[in-house]
């Protein structure tokens, strides 16, 4: 039913239009003197002459009570709908341009993009209008439904105070699966586990850090923020579609999956000052929380658990630490500071992993000379 709503409108037969080498005065805003519409300006790139979106051939959505608007609103506001239909909302020039331009996100008929609404003002943006038009032109050529929208329609479907005039429905990427068949034991992976992290801003920051350090995947434990929430996606600045993500329904399922990825309990670190009271054999050996830079993150595959803002780790994870089932790690700080923001703490630890990884690669290259 949702796909019927998206594609019920007839698509334009002329998705592109090659313009002359001179700029064309915008016909969409006749009362705006001397504004130049760059959307169809030919320009030189790696692909030669690029073609912009032909606005005059696009169907326009003007009613805020249309099925299209209701669809966008549902996906924007309801996590259940996003999970059910495996779709979400992207909004804004930069996010949409960057996501389209990444070839991994555009695979012909399998494109992530299912539907796009854009205003004339968005296509006339002085810095990003031309790029947006070119990228939307590519989408339209690949079969994506691109339509003009009135300003009141955009305001109705976007959750931002000042919408930028372009919004899209995209398909969610597939859930992460460990398909690595490498058996030489040299590859060290880092998995980031969200244990109830609830703030979309922190989620977005952690996804950006995860991508920056080359983390293998992000695993979502129960009660974690929906990473496909439009706010979290904007905060992640496109990395939501670059970092593999998987949700698990319980801590036991997480442990089983981590084991299948080659990560044992002794290589799972929860970010906390708390240590264990006994080892996993029932003895009295105590494991203290280690400083993040005292752990050898390149000895094998590891996982880092980050807890909820304010309350920290869940009871189940704390129990796993106390029982010696998993280990704990912390970022050393000067006296007087109780804790770090979840995104800051996680990022600091991740970049220590990245530093060690780079050092290990440099050493390996040196030894091979």
């Amino acid at each position: 039913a949702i796909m019927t709503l998206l594609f019920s409108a007839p698509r334009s037969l002329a998705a592109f239009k090659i313009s002359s080498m001179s700029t064309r005065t915008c016909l969409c805003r006749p009362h705006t003197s001397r504004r130049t519409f760059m959307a169809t300006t030919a320009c030189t790139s790696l692909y030669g002459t690029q073609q912009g979106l032909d606005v005059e051939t696009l169907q326009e959505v003007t009613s805020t009570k249309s099925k299209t608007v209701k669809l966008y609103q549902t996906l924007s506001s309801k996590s259940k709908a996003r999970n059910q239909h495996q779709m979400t909302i992207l909004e804004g020039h930069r996010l949409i341009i960057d996501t389209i331009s990444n070839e991994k996100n555009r695979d012909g008929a399998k494109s992530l993009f299912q539907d796009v609404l854009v205003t004339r003002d968005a296509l006339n943006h002085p810095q990003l209008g031309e790029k947006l038009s070119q990228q939307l032109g590519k989408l339209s050529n690949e079969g994506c439904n691109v339509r003009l929208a009135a300003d009141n329609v955009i305001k109705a479907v976007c959750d931002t105070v000042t919408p930028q005039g372009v919004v899209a429905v995209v398909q969610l990427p597939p859930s992460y699966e460990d398909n690595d068949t490498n058996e030489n034991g040299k590859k060290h992976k880092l998995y980031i586990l969200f244990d109830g992290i609830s703030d979309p801003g922190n989620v977005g920051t952690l996804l950006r850090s995860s991508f920056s350090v080359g983390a293998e995947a992000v695993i979502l434990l129960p009660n974690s923020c929906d990473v496909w929430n439009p706010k979290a996606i904007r905060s992640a600045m496109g990395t939501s579609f670059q970092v593999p993500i998987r949700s698990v329904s319980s801590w036991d399922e997480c442990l089983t999956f981590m084991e299948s990825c080659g990560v044992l309990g002794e290589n799972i670190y929860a970010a906390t000052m708390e240590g264990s009271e006994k080892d996993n054999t029932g003895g009295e050996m105590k494991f203290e929380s280690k400083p993040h830079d005292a752990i050898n993150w390149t000895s094998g595959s590891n996982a880092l658990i980050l807890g909820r803002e304010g309350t920290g780790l869940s009871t189940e994870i704390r129990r796993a630490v106390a029982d010696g089932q998993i280990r704990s790690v912390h970022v050393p700080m000067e006296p007087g500071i109780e804790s770090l923001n979840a995104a800051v703490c996680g990022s600091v630890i991740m970049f220590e992993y990245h530093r060690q990884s780079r050092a290990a690669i440099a050493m390996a290259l040196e030894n091979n000379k």
Side-chain angles (χ1 to χ4, degrees):
I2 196 167
M3 298 305 290
T4 301
L5 290 177
L6 283 173
F7 299 109
S8 58
R11 296 178 184 173
S12 167
L13 296 178
F16 291 93
K17 184 176 181 181
I18 301 178
S19 71
S20 64
M21 291 303 293
S22 61
T23 58
R24 183 165 66 93
T25 302
C26 177
L27 300 177
C28 302
R29 297 292 299 274
H31 300 295
T32 304
S33 61
R34 307 297 296 177
R35 284 189 72 177
T36 302
F37 185 45
M38 301 295 292
T40 56
T41 301
C43 67
T44 302
S45 70
L46 293 175
Y47 302 98
T49 300
Q50 293 210 6
Q51 303 163 344
L53 194 65
D54 187 356
V55 178
E56 297 174 2
T57 66
L58 299 182
Q59 183 187 20
E60 187 165 6
V61 180
T62 58
S63 174
T64 58
K65 297 181 180 180
S66 67
K67 292 181 179 180
T68 295
V69 170
K70 292 180 180 179
L71 169 63
Y72 274 77
Q73 290 174 332
T74 299
L75 292 176
S76 178
S77 61
K78 297 181 179 180
S79 177
K80 183 177 180 180
R82 293 191 290 269
N83 291 331
Q84 179 181 353
H85 301 295
Q86 289 296 289
M87 294 180 180
T88 189
I89 300 295
L90 293 188
E91 179 189 343
H93 284 84
R94 181 60 65 188
L95 180 57
I96 289 179
I97 289 171
D98 291 347
T99 305
I100 298 174
S101 62
N102 188 317
E103 293 297 328
K104 293 181 180 179
N105 296 333
R106 291 190 305 108
D107 186 17
K110 297 180 180 179
S111 172
L112 288 175
F113 286 79
Q114 304 298 311
D115 190 80
V116 181
L117 297 177
V118 61
T119 64
R120 292 179 173 86
D121 281 345
L123 293 171
N124 276 320
H125 189 281
Q127 285 82 40
L128 300 173
E130 181 181 358
K131 291 183 179 179
L132 179 64
S133 178
Q134 291 168 358
Q135 296 301 333
L136 292 184
K138 291 180 182 179
L139 279 186
S140 182
N141 190 48
E142 291 178 353
C144 180
N145 203 27
V146 180
R147 290 175 283 176
L148 283 177
D151 290 341
N152 62 326
V153 170
I154 293 295
K155 290 180 180 179
V157 301
C158 295
D159 66 347
T160 52
V161 177
T162 309
Q164 296 181 33
V166 58
V167 59
V169 171
V170 295
Q171 185 175 345
L172 302 187
S175 179
Y176 169 77
E177 296 287 347
D178 183 28
N179 297 319
D180 188 4
T181 57
N182 180 19
E183 298 178 353
N184 60 22
K186 293 183 179 180
K187 186 174 181 180
H188 43 270
K189 304 175 183 178
L190 179 65
Y191 295 86
I192 308 300
L193 280 53
F194 290 0
D195 179 31
I197 294 179
S198 59
D199 180 72
N202 284 337
V203 166
T205 298
L206 287 168
L207 286 175
R208 291 166 66 185
S209 294
S210 297
F211 178 70
S212 298
V213 305
E216 177 70 11
V218 169
I219 310 299
L220 307 175
L221 287 159
N223 302 316
S224 295
C225 173
D226 180 8
V227 295
W228 302 114
N229 178 320
K231 291 181 180 179
I233 293 177
R234 289 196 298 273
S235 178
M237 295 183 67
T239 54
S240 308
F241 299 94
Q242 304 300 315
V243 179
I245 298 171
R246 182 186 181 94
S247 295
V248 293
S249 60
S250 68
W251 171 235
D252 287 340
E253 180 186 342
C254 181
L255 282 176
T256 300
F257 182 71
M258 284 290 93
E259 186 175 352
S260 72
C261 296
V263 183
L264 303 179
E266 62 187 19
N267 295 114
I268 300 177
Y269 294 90
T272 177
M273 289 292 295
E274 300 173 10
S276 64
E277 299 172 357
K278 56 185 178 182
D279 65 11
N280 52 16
T281 63
E284 296 302 323
M285 181 178 178
K286 183 175 182 180
F287 296 107
E288 295 182 349
S289 178
K290 290 185 177 181
H292 72 294
D293 55 358
I295 295 173
N296 184 354
W297 296 100
T298 62
S299 61
S301 294
N302 296 274
L304 172 64
I305 307 177
L306 301 168
R308 179 184 292 269
E309 305 86 345
T311 57
L313 299 168
S314 63
T315 301
E316 203 165 16
I317 302 300
R318 291 179 186 274
R319 186 181 303 116
V321 172
D323 291 344
Q325 185 181 35
I326 62 177
R327 304 292 187 262
S328 57
V329 61
H330 67 276
V331 176
M333 299 177 291
E334 294 297 317
I337 299 296
E338 181 179 350
S339 63
L340 292 174
N341 168 275
V344 173
C345 175
S347 297
V348 169
I349 297 174
M350 279 189 255
F351 276 94
E352 172 60 20
Y353 157 80
H354 188 54
R355 184 194 67 79
Q356 292 185 21
S357 297
R358 287 170 56 86
I361 293 172
M363 183 177 295
L365 292 174
E366 183 68 24
N367 292 336
N368 289 332
K369 286 184 178 180

